[in-house]
């Protein structure tokens, strides 16, 4: 059975299709998924998905791209993390891809928000779900400054270099690969995946985005995560069943290690 470690099932494209998505997941042997929160206003929706569906869990956090969103506090995130079926803090991190003409000094709000998440993860003992785009040096620097390695977590939808992967691994983090791994032009990323130790690998869809080949460009769902596993299996010269089992085990160890199973 496969686990999708990162999906956005509360997104408008998917929220109304949950029974159909769950049926497709069953068909594809995907039995578990972590539903990712991107704003505090969205939290109730992702939390309800987790509470109402076996095998679904959720996170609590505010995405770095959600500039005008309500700001979280350390105490507020810790309180959410204590609720049933909340496994992680995030997604959080830094995204300098859309600076819209600003310089990096003007992105201090993003760095401050990321620090709040790292402090909440340390205080709650929950792992971090980290998003980093065009900002890997600052992402790693803030994790070091805030001692985020104590909380651990995952660099999700990894698209960075082997050097960034090595730094994240040295800090104790896992690396999650998405459908991007299957894209024709992603040979550099496949080399990074070859290098990441198997016991630190996770797989995800990042649904509704980034559908793997042959569904590239279509609306993605967790039922497609075996296609990511298949690509990783090819890279690691293992069977897809072996990838399913080890990534499921990694997910359990990282996210469910100190949480009562439900
Ligand atoms: Zn992300
Ligand atoms: Zn995401």
């Amino acid at each position: 059975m496969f686990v999708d470690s990162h999906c956005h099932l509360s997104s408008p494209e998917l929220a109304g299709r949950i029974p159909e998505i769950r049926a497709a997941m069953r068909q594809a042997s995907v039995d578990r998924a972590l539903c990712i929160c991107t704003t505090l206003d969205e939290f109730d929706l992702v939390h309800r998905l987790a509470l109402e569906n076996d095998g679904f869990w959720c996170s609590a956090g505010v995405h770095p791209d959600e500039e005008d969103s309500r700001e979280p506090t350390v105490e507020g995130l810790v309180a959410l993390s204590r609720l049933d079926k909340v496994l992680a803090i995030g997604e959080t991190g830094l995204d300098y891809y859309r600076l819209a003409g600003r310089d990096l000094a003007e992105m201090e709000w993003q760095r401050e928000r990321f620090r709040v998440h790292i402090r909440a993860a340390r205080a709650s003992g929950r792992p971090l779900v980290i998003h980093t785009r065009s900002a890997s040096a600052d992402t790693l620097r803030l994790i070091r400054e805030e001692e985020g390695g104590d909380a651990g977590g995952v660099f999700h939808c990894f698209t960075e270099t082997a050097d960034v992967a090595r730094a994240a691994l040295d800090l104790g983090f896992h690396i999650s690969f998405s459908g991007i791994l299957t894209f024709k032009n992603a040979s550099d990323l496949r080399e990074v995946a070859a290098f990441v130790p198997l016991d630190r690998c996770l797989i995800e869809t990042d649904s509704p985005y980034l559908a793997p080949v042959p569904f590239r460009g279509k609306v993605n769902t967790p039922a497609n995560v075996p296609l990511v596993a298949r690509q990783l299996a090819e890279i690691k010269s293992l069977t897809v069943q072996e990838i399913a089992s080890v990534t499921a085990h990694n997910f359990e160890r990282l996210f469910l290690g100190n949480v009562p199973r439900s």
Side-chain angles (χ1 to χ4, degrees), residues 6 8 91 156 206:
H6 190 115
H8 296 275
E91 65 179 288
H156 104 91
D206 209 7

Side-chain angles (χ1 to χ4, degrees), residues 120 132 153 237:
T132 184
S237 302

Side-chain angles (χ1 to χ4, degrees), residues 5-257:
S5 71
H6 190 115
C7 57
H8 296 275
L9 297 188
S10 52
S11 69
E13 294 92 331
L14 302 179
R17 298 174 46 200
I18 299 302
E20 170 203 340
I21 287 167
R22 285 182 66 80
M25 287 171 68
R26 267 193 299 279
Q27 198 75 38
S29 300
V30 182
D31 65 341
R32 291 176 284 181
L34 183 54
C35 303
I36 299 294
C37 175
T38 60
T39 68
L40 294 177
D41 292 331
E42 184 189 22
F43 177 79
D44 282 346
L45 193 51
V46 280
H47 191 219
R48 209 175 323 134
L49 281 170
L51 291 176
E52 288 174 357
N53 294 283
D54 272 354
F56 282 5
W57 292 269
C58 75
S59 68
V62 182
H63 193 290
D65 283 344
E66 298 287 344
E67 183 161 2
D68 299 321
S69 174
R70 204 149 41 92
E71 283 302 330
T73 62
V74 174
E75 303 70 36
L77 289 172
V78 169
L80 295 179
S81 78
R82 299 229 162 97
L83 299 174
D84 192 24
K85 296 198 92 176
V86 181
L87 294 188
I89 301 293
E91 65 179 288
T92 180
L94 300 174
D95 193 328
Y96 297 160
Y97 186 70
R98 292 186 192 83
L99 288 176
R102 291 171 294 189
D103 64 31
L104 293 184
E106 291 169 88
M107 303 305 280
E108 188 55 29
W109 62 271
Q110 241 187 35
R111 291 184 288 272
E112 189 50 40
R113 183 187 283 176
F114 185 26
R115 288 182 193 278
V116 164
H117 284 80
I118 299 172
R119 289 170 196 165
R122 294 188 58 198
S124 64
R126 291 274 186 268
L128 287 156
V129 175
I130 291 182
H131 169 109
T132 184
R133 192 172 187 197
S134 310
S136 57
D138 271 6
T139 301
L140 292 164
R141 175 173 65 83
L142 263 61
I143 292 172
R144 290 193 187 100
E145 286 178 9
E146 298 289 339
E147 300 181 56
D150 288 356
V154 56
F155 277 55
H156 104 91
C157 194
F158 198 80
T159 54
E160 304 289 333
T161 61
D163 283 344
V164 175
R166 194 173 293 116
L169 292 165
D170 286 348
L171 285 163
F173 282 79
H174 289 63
I175 306 282
S176 178
F177 296 101
S178 69
I180 294 176
L181 200 62
T182 69
F183 293 179
K184 206 172 169 203
N185 58 358
S187 51
D188 289 355
L189 184 61
R190 285 188 282 276
E191 281 175 30
V192 173
F195 149 82
V196 174
L198 206 52
D199 67 353
R200 300 285 198 92
C201 288
L202 294 174
I203 50 174
E204 66 173 83
T205 59
D206 209 7
S207 301
Y209 319 108
L210 298 171
V213 171
F215 304 117
R216 190 171 178 179
K218 304 237 166 66
V219 173
N220 200 6
T221 81
N224 288 330
V225 82
L227 294 167
V228 181
R230 191 197 293 170
Q231 181 68 69
L232 191 59
E234 200 173 295
I235 292 165
K236 299 285 194 191
S237 302
L238 293 169
T239 65
V240 70
Q241 288 82 4
E242 285 169 315
I243 293 295
S245 137
V246 76
T247 53
H249 183 73
N250 294 344
F251 178 87
E252 286 168 13
R253 202 183 53 230
L254 176 62
F255 290 113
L256 294 166

